Amino acid sequence: MIRSLSILLLLLSATLAGCSEGVDNERVRVDVIEDRPRPLNVSATPLPMASAYLRAATAQGLVTFDEKGRIAPGLANRWIVTDDGMSYIFRLNKGRWNDGREVESREVARLLTARIRELRKGRLGAELGVIERVVAMTGKVVEIRLKAPMPYLLEFLALPEFGLLSKGAGSGPMQAKKFGQVMQLRRNQTDDDGVQFLGNAMVTLWRGTASTAIARYALGQSDLVEGGRFESFPLLDAANIRADQIRFDAVPGLFGLHVVNGGSFLSNTANRTAIAMAIDRPKLLTAFDIVAWQETVTLVPESLPNQADIKRPVWSVPSMEERKALARATVAKWENTNGALRPLRVALPRGYGARIFFARLRVDLASVGIDIERVTVDRPHDLLLVDRTAQQSSPAWYLDQLSCKFSTICSARADEIVAEARRTTDSAIRAQLLGEAEAELQASAAFIPIANPLRWSVVRPGLLGHFANGRGWHLLQYLGRDPT
């Protein structure tokens, strides 16, 4: 991957003389990293990252995120939540679809109902099952009625996936037009007579591999690179990207090893715990020299608001040396009974950063008698590296990712507790139940936490409207604009 970046820089070097360090905030150029770039498709489920940016810009939902990751008005300019938490009522703006038709509550309710039905088939399904129905109350009011309180509903509704499309048209705040392999987006504006028109400022959206995107940025052909992950981070050093142009988002989520194939060794909780004990997280992360990348040992982030008071796993208490000694003894005991342990297959993404990660992981596990081999995710594997940002500030999101619906090694009991928590109308009981489910899953060691997810962007000095935030989203509609 480093070699491919160097080749790209050589091929494109002839254009370097025409590059400028400054940014034209009226003509912002954005590259979104996708490991395997796919055609832009705002109707895809799940949404590839570039398509998610496009949908968020052209098809807003009832609410959206602002440039700092906070909930902001979308189709609705204000909303209320009933005292019992069972109903969210939204008042719509006087908006229009991009084809000129007026936005009305009846259509919004119908479209949102259909979208919820689609998304229930995926990883959001368990949470969305709490929604009873969406109702159009008047021409400009929409109500979402719930079967039980859903404190984090607005976070879901602000996701790009909930941007609404009517007859193929969104409602802005931008409109897009395709030119070859890129999309050009311009903002909807309204004149003094209330007539909608397109502004002159433009954002160009392109997607490509990490090496291509970083090379284009290094040569001044783009102003912003989005979608950076740990596996592509070493490319920044190879391209001599300055540290002041790299921005990290401290996003919560899951980053660790998920046991996907039990076998005779990994089906044993003690053996899975041995792997968790053997990983020297600080040393592993130090290999990347990123202050923003912090180790974790718990399933749910300890800093998460409203989290139950769950103790750290017992295995994390001893020193690193003691943990490795315990892990070695566990592996040796298993081999004495079952014979030599075959190498465990670890599925990792492509990229030089993944090589560094694997090298450190292999040393750690070898020190306790476990050999591993690296495979791609499309090959049979025993352990899968999960790198997923949280879509909700609730412990329930983390527990859903490891439910029996998506995991081979799981806890049916934990799933039952989470389902019970969703049905209750008492917030204290809900928190208690989610804590019980978290403790159950954490003790199973079916998922081995390592760190928080790492997300980074490369931002050219002078670009307006881009801020590091806890969501990891930097929506196109804010770029080039001064929020003050």
Side-chain angles (χ1 to χ4, degrees), residues 46-107:
L47 280 169
M49 190 167 191
S51 297
Y53 271 102
L54 182 59
R55 183 162 184 144
T58 59
Q60 61 190 334
L62 289 171
V63 293
T64 185
F65 295 123
D66 69 7
E67 66 277 0
K68 295 184 180 179
R70 300 167 299 197
I71 302 297
L75 286 171
N77 56 11
R78 59 184 186 274
W79 51 88
I80 61 171
V81 185
T82 56
D83 291 341
D84 60 4
M86 301 286 282
S87 174
Y88 285 66
I89 301 171
F90 300 84
R91 178 165 291 278
L92 303 181
N93 291 306
K94 292 181 179 180
R96 293 186 179 276
W97 302 106
N98 286 339
D99 60 8
R101 292 176 297 112
E102 188 174 355
V103 174
E104 295 289 353
S105 61
R106 183 176 298 178
E107 185 173 21

Side-chain angles (χ1 to χ4, degrees), residues 238-287:
N240 294 317
I241 303 297
R242 298 201 315 259
D244 66 314
Q245 298 179 22
I246 305 170
R247 293 185 184 171
F248 296 100
D249 290 310
V251 293
L254 295 174
F255 184 93
L257 297 175
H258 189 190
V259 180
V260 296
N261 178 27
S264 56
F265 181 78
L266 290 175
S267 61
N268 185 292
T269 302
N271 294 338
R272 300 195 296 269
T273 302
I275 294 175
M277 288 192 292
I279 300 173
D280 189 338
R281 290 160 179 79
K283 185 178 289 187
L284 189 157
L285 299 181
T286 300

Side-chain angles (χ1 to χ4, degrees), residues 148-161:
M150 192 174 175
Y152 304 98
L153 176 61
L154 294 177
E155 289 184 290
F156 271 146
L157 297 179
L159 293 171
E161 285 85 349

Side-chain angles (χ1 to χ4, degrees), residues 19-260:
C19 298
S20 170
E21 180 67 13
V23 175
D24 179 358
N25 280 290
E26 294 292 305
R27 295 289 184 273
V28 178
R29 302 160 300 174
V30 181
D31 282 358
V32 176
I33 294 174
E34 289 185 356
D35 181 42
R36 296 178 179 177
R38 287 154 285 184
L40 290 165
N41 179 7
V42 297
S43 297
T45 304
L47 280 169
M49 190 167 191
S51 297
Y53 271 102
L54 182 59
R55 183 162 184 144
T58 59
Q60 61 190 334
L62 289 171
V63 293
T64 185
F65 295 123
D66 69 7
E67 66 277 0
K68 295 184 180 179
R70 300 167 299 197
I71 302 297
L75 286 171
N77 56 11
R78 59 184 186 274
W79 51 88
I80 61 171
V81 185
T82 56
D83 291 341
D84 60 4
M86 301 286 282
S87 174
Y88 285 66
I89 301 171
F90 300 84
R91 178 165 291 278
L92 303 181
N93 291 306
K94 292 181 179 180
R96 293 186 179 276
W97 302 106
N98 286 339
D99 60 8
R101 292 176 297 112
E102 188 174 355
V103 174
E104 295 289 353
S105 61
R106 183 176 298 178
E107 185 173 21
V108 168
R110 177 179 61 80
L111 294 172
L112 183 55
T113 298
R115 190 60 177 157
I116 290 170
R117 190 180 301 117
E118 287 181 279
L119 294 172
R120 277 179 178 160
K121 301 173 185 176
R123 289 189 175 271
L124 302 180
E127 191 73 16
L128 294 179
V130 179
I131 296 176
E132 183 175 18
R133 58 178 173 152
V134 184
V135 182
M137 298 178 67
T138 69
K140 289 297 178 183
V141 177
V142 172
E143 180 186 15
I144 298 180
R145 297 176 184 172
L146 306 174
K147 301 173 185 176
M150 192 174 175
Y152 304 98
L153 176 61
L154 294 177
E155 289 184 290
F156 271 146
L157 297 179
L159 293 171
E161 285 85 349
F162 286 91
L164 299 181
L165 292 164
S166 173
K167 300 179 180 178
S171 60
M174 306 184 85
Q175 295 190 37
K177 190 173 182 179
K178 187 175 182 180
F179 286 88
Q181 296 300 311
V182 304
M183 298 295 293
Q184 293 184 346
L185 297 95
R186 297 161 66 188
R187 296 185 185 89
N188 289 332
Q189 296 184 1
T190 305
D191 63 20
D192 295 338
D193 297 322
V195 178
Q196 185 170 290
F197 67 98
L198 290 177
N200 292 323
M202 183 179 297
V203 175
T204 301
L205 175 66
W206 191 88
R207 78 273 185 219
T209 62
S211 57
T212 303
I214 294 171
R216 282 171 43 81
Y217 178 89
L219 295 167
Q221 297 178 353
S222 66
D223 306 304
L224 172 64
V225 176
E226 286 291 341
R229 295 173 176 249
F230 87 99
E231 64 263 30
S232 53
F233 182 76
L235 295 178
L236 299 177
D237 184 58
N240 294 317
I241 303 297
R242 298 201 315 259
D244 66 314
Q245 298 179 22
I246 305 170
R247 293 185 184 171
F248 296 100
D249 290 310
V251 293
L254 295 174
F255 184 93
L257 297 175
H258 189 190
V259 180
V260 296

